[in-house]
Amino acid sequence: MTNTEVNNQGAQEAPARKKRIFSAIQPSGQMTLGNYLGAIRNWVEMQDEFDCVYATANLHAITVRQDPKKLKENTLNLFALLIASGVDPEKSIFFHQSQVAAHAELAWVLGTFTQFGELSRMTQFKDKSARHADNINAGLFTYPSLMAADILLYQADLVPVGEDQKQHLELTRDIAERFNGIYGKTFVVPEPYIKKNAARVRNLLDPSKKMSKSDQNTKSYILMVDEPATIMKKFRSAVTDSEACVRYAEGKDGINNLMEIYSACTGKSYEQIEDEFRGKGYGDFKNAVGEAVVAVLEPIQIRYKELISDKKYLDELARNGAASAERLAKRTIEKVYKKVGLVR
Ligand code: ATP
Ligand code: LTN
C-alpha cells in the first residue's frame, strides 16, 4: 500500500515518499566546467527535492583500457570533487559502483534480457568502437545493461540525462518493461529527468563542439581544478568573432557560449549581460567571464584540496554510502534472483 492510500483512509499522516534519482559519472579523466554546469551542479540542487543515489561509475570506466593506479586516483579525485561541489553524504547516498557487487550481478541477469540488435544500435557503442578499434570488448558492447542495472537496482523514478545518454535510458526502460512483463512488477520504470535551461558548455576554441575533457587541446576546456590564472588565460584565448558586440545571436557561437557560461555563473539574463557590456570590447567581457568562473570554482577547489588530503575520511564516507546502497540493492537483487529461479 502506498503512502497516499494510507492517507486516504485517514490513517496516520505519513510524509509522501520523495521521488528517487539515480545518477553516476565515470571517473575517466578530470572534470570540466561543462561537467560542472551541465551535471554536477544539478546533482547538488536535486538533493533537496529528491531522494538521491549517486555513484562514481568505475565499472563503466574499464570498458576502455585504464591504468590501474590512475583509475583509482581518478575515482577518488572525482568522489572528493563532487563532495567539494556540494554532494552531501548526509543527504544523499554516494559511493563507488565497484563497492556494491549487486551492480555486476544484476547487469549479468539483465544482459540476458537485452538483445544483440538493441545493443548494436547504440550510438555510444558505435562511436567508442570507432575510437578504440583495437579494443572492442564485450563490456563496451554490454555497457547499457550495466547502466540499466545501476538504475533499476535502486528502483529510481528519475534519471537526469544529457542528450548523449537518452538512448541508454530508453533501453533501460525497455529492459524493465520486458522483465516486468514476464515476471510481474519487479522494477520501477524510470523516466528521464531533463532540467530546463541546464547549461550546455561549448569548446572554447571550436564552439561548434561541446566542451569535452577528452579533447586534445587543453585550451579548449576549463578544468574544475584549473588555477585561477590558467582560467583567465584560457578565456582570453577563447574564439569569438569580429563584430565586437556582446549580444546573443545566430552565427556568434563563441560569444553565445561565453554568455551562457557567464549567465550560468552569475544568474544574469542575456539582456542584463548585453546591457552590462554595451560599448565595451570583448577583452573586458572575457575578463568578466573568467572572474565569474573563478568565483564559482575557487571555493570548490579550496574544499577539494582539504578533502583530498584526508584519504581516510573519504574512504569512510564511501564505505558508509556503499553500506546504505547495499541495503537498497539487496532487496532488488533478491527479488530478481527469486523470480528468475536462481539459487542464492
Ligand atoms: P568525454 O570527453 O569522455 O566524452 P565528457 O566530458 O563529454 O566526457 P561525460 O563524462 O560523458 O563528459 O559526462 C558527464 C556528465 O557531464 C553528463 O551528464 C554530461 O551530460 C555532462 N556534460 C559533459 N560535457 C558537458 C558540456 N560541455 N556541457 C554540459 N554538460 C556536459
Ligand atoms: N553512462 C553515463 C554514466 C552512468 C550513468 C549511470 C548515468 C553510468 N551509470 C546510470 C545515469 C545513470 C555517462 O557516461 N555519462
Side-chain angles (χ1 to χ4, degrees), residues 22-24 26 57 60 143 147 150-151 159 165:
F22 182 89
S23 196
Q26 291 192 63
H60 277 111
Y143 181 112
M147 184 160 154
D150 295 342
I151 297 165
V159 182
Q165 296 299 316

Side-chain angles (χ1 to χ4, degrees), residues 8 11 34 47 53 82 92 101 108 120-121 152 174 179 181 191 195 201 218 253 266 321 330 344:
N8 288 347
Q47 295 180 110
V53 181
L82 288 166
S92 306
W108 176 257
S120 312
R121 284 194 288 277
L152 301 181
D174 291 343
F179 194 98
E191 303 277 344
K195 197 161 175 286
V201 181
T218 58
D253 291 355
T266 60
K330 195 165 170 256
R344 183 110 178 130

Side-chain angles (χ1 to χ4, degrees), residues 207-223:
S208 68
K209 298 195 287 193
K210 73 164 195 167
M211 182 180 284
S212 177
K213 57 182 175 296
S214 52
D215 198 278
Q216 297 296 322
N217 194 333
T218 58
K219 283 189 185 156
S220 74
Y221 53 72
I222 305 286
L223 291 181

Side-chain angles (χ1 to χ4, degrees), residues 221-253:
Y221 53 72
I222 305 286
L223 291 181
M224 286 183 72
V225 295
D226 271 344
E227 296 284 340
T230 310
I231 296 177
M232 297 302 292
K233 214 160 104 197
K234 286 183 177 176
F235 277 112
R236 273 185 221 117
S237 61
V239 164
T240 51
D241 53 63
S242 53
E243 192 195 28
C245 176
V246 177
R247 64 188 184 99
Y248 199 96
E250 199 155 328
K252 288 173 69 77
D253 291 355

